[in-house]
């Protein structure tokens, strides 16, 4: 079976139940404001996107490690921090948003959600930026024109 087909099956096989189970696992705060018609549609679309991203994260966990190993070029530490950071960025949206809906405006709960998810996303972004820059530095140069484009982009000109 082709990898893209496995990824599609895993993504949809995870996303559909996640979409249904989100409000069951984390029922919305009964004291929160009720969304209007358009707001409700936008919230449903957001929940669908988050469920799909969760599914893609599960597919990445299932199929992505060999690719990350290749990018990390033999470094076990870089492989695992990159793999975990990418997986966290993909899967965290679903519980994050559902926890917000469930928490409402309880400030202690809000602070816990913000620190748990936002700080971990910041760390994951730093890890991915480090890995990306490292991979670019290790990539073989393919000519002077390419080197000049990279230098130009790095200088911000």
């Amino acid at each position: 079976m082709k990898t893209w087909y496995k990824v599609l099956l895993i993504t949809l096989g995870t996303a559909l139940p996640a979409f249904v189970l989100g409000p069951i696992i984390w029922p919305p705060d009964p004291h929160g404001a009720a969304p209007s018609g358009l707001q409700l549609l936008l919230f449903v679309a957001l929940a669908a996107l988050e469920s799909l991203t969760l599914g893609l994260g599960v597919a990445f966990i299932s199929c992505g490690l060999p690719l990350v190993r290749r990018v990390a070029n033999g470094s076990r530490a870089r492989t695992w921090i990159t793999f975990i950071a990418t997986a966290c960025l993909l899967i965290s949206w679903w519980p994050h948003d559902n926890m917000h809906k469930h928490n409402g405006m309880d400030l202690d709960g809000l602070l816990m959600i913000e620190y748990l998810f936002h700080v971990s996303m910041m760390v994951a972004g730093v890890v991915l930026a480090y890995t990306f820059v490292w991979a670019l530095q290790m990539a073989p140069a393919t000519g002077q024109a390419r080197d000049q484009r990279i230098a130009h982009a790095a200088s911000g000109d």
Side-chain angles (χ1 to χ4, degrees):
M1 180 182 302
K2 294 190 181 274
T3 303
W4 72 266
Y5 190 67
K6 286 181 196 174
V7 168
L8 180 64
L9 289 176
I10 293 168
T11 299
L12 294 177
T14 303
L16 294 173
F19 182 77
V20 172
L21 291 173
I24 294 170
I25 296 170
W26 294 286
D29 176 21
H31 305 295
S36 68
L38 178 59
Q39 289 172 334
L40 182 60
L41 178 65
L42 292 171
F43 277 122
V44 169
L46 187 58
L49 288 171
E50 291 162 348
S51 297
L52 285 168
T53 306
L54 171 71
L56 188 59
V58 172
F60 177 79
I61 291 169
S62 301
C63 305
L65 187 57
L67 297 172
V68 176
R69 278 191 182 119
R70 202 164 74 204
V71 169
N73 199 22
S75 168
R76 286 179 55 94
R78 197 169 24 260
T79 296
W80 283 105
I81 64 169
T82 303
F83 182 73
I84 291 167
T86 305
C88 285
L89 284 172
L90 289 168
I91 65 174
S92 68
W93 298 103
W94 181 72
H96 178 214
D97 199 39
N98 280 296
M99 284 183 182
H100 271 299
K101 291 175 198 169
H102 178 73
N103 181 73
M105 289 309 297
D106 170 38
L107 294 182
D108 289 331
L110 183 62
L111 278 169
M112 182 183 71
I113 293 166
E114 295 305 299
Y115 273 89
L116 178 67
F117 289 101
H118 290 229
V119 172
S120 66
M121 286 186 239
M122 291 173 202
V123 171
V126 168
V127 166
L128 292 177
Y130 163 75
T131 301
F132 181 73
V133 168
W134 178 88
L136 282 175
Q137 289 174 339
M138 295 298 114
T142 58
Q144 186 177 8
R146 180 174 180 265
D147 291 343
Q148 288 174 347
R149 285 194 306 270
I150 291 172
H152 180 71
S155 69
D157 293 336

